[in-house]
Amino acid sequence: CEIERLSLGAGPTETAAREERHAALGRIAGSVGARTIALGHHADDQAETVLMRLLRGSGPAGLAAMRPRAGILRPLLPFRREELAQYLQERGIEAWDDPANADPRHLRSWLRHDVIPGLAGRLPDVVTRLVGSAAQASRNVAAWDALLEVLPNLELRVDRDGVSVAAHALAGYDSALAEALVAALGRRAGCVVGPARAARLVAVAASGRSGAMVPLGVGWAGEMSFGRLGIRRAPAIPAEAAHIEPDMADLK
């Protein structure tokens, strides 16, 4: 058993706490030579995640929620919380309940204890429905990601710093198709590209202006270079120095 205590300061966000936990797990895995990390998320967690992201205005990639295999394994996603609790009880295994899970100040806790039970009063299978929506969204995202490999003339290239496609081919597609492909290109690189920035990247591709840049958050940028639109790791680009300014709508 390896234990690490994290000092997150006062009032860390749920996102910051999750990132710190995952970083700690990565450090521990490296120190003990573990090849995989498995987390205990279950179907109820998945339903809560879908609802949280829906309320935040996420698109299909966000609604796909947690994947069973994405660097980290989540082998318990098919099971409900009550099934897992019964399994432990039958074997006399004591479970520890994080007190933060009952704190309504956290969005997830509020959804878990107030919102989803209220919905279940009218829709008893609401968790199953939400989990099903995540599965559909995941298949949708996987299909878009696969298109990067098969659409004619896109000429997808992956290198150490990011990914790129032929700009003229991308610009030749319908805007909705092109923007969805740019979002998929971002996922391939490991960068979240929201709808506003996807539209701006498509505009850059259509312009053909070599050197045009779109900042995509800390450490990422979209750039036209030698007829190719790329999404690459880069130092943060000041908005005033960029050819196209960032759109705050993509920071959700």
Side-chain angles (χ1 to χ4, degrees):
C1 176
E2 300 283 338
I3 297 175
E4 181 171 335
R5 182 181 296 274
L6 303 178
S7 299
L8 304 181
T13 65
E14 294 176 65
T15 299
R18 180 177 63 252
E19 290 174 351
E20 289 294 329
R21 288 197 304 272
H22 286 191
L25 287 169
R27 290 193 299 271
I28 294 171
S31 68
V32 301
R35 292 181 295 174
T36 58
I37 296 172
L39 300 182
H41 295 115
H42 45 68
D44 293 80
D45 293 323
Q46 183 78 311
E48 293 160 8
T49 300
V50 174
L51 194 52
M52 287 173 65
R53 294 185 178 180
L54 180 63
L55 293 174
R56 289 171 175 165
S58 294
L63 297 180
M66 297 179 287
R67 291 179 289 172
R69 292 177 176 269
I72 291 175
L73 306 183
R74 295 181 173 90
L76 301 181
L77 277 183
F79 303 99
R80 295 290 306 273
R81 180 185 291 112
E82 58 196 31
E83 293 180 90
L84 298 173
Q86 182 178 354
Y87 179 93
L88 295 178
Q89 184 178 17
E90 290 173 351
R91 287 157 180 78
I93 300 173
E94 184 178 354
W96 180 77
D97 192 9
D98 185 347
N101 290 337
D103 187 344
R105 292 177 300 175
H106 300 302
L107 177 59
R108 183 180 291 274
S109 298
W110 174 65
L111 292 174
R112 176 177 298 169
H113 294 288
D114 295 335
V115 177
I116 290 180
L119 292 172
R122 295 291 299 270
L123 302 169
D125 61 344
V126 65
V127 168
T128 300
R129 295 188 187 197
L130 291 169
V131 171
S133 293
Q136 291 184 55
S138 181
R139 289 180 62 84
N140 179 281
V141 169
W144 281 109
D145 292 350
L147 279 177
L148 291 174
E149 306 275 1
V150 299
L151 279 177
N153 305 319
L154 265 187
E155 301 174 13
L156 174 70
R157 294 179 189 170
V158 181
D159 56 41
R160 291 177 59 184
D161 297 324
V163 295
S164 67
V165 292
H168 71 278
L170 182 71
Y173 292 120
D174 168 85
S175 61
L177 173 58
E179 290 164 19
L181 288 171
V182 167
L185 192 67
R187 288 192 293 273
R188 182 65 62 92
C191 170
V192 176
V193 178
R197 283 178 175 155
R200 294 175 186 271
L201 286 169
V202 172
V204 165
S207 76
R209 181 181 297 182
S210 188
M213 281 189 166
V214 178
L216 301 174
V218 177
W220 291 98
E223 180 182 15
M224 270 291 296
S225 179
F226 299 103
R228 298 186 65 80
L229 178 72
I231 295 177
R232 303 192 177 283
R233 294 190 179 277
I237 302 171
E240 62 271 15
H243 176 63
I244 296 178
E245 294 184 358
D247 191 314
M248 294 302 293
D250 280 329
L251 301 181
K252 292 180 180 179

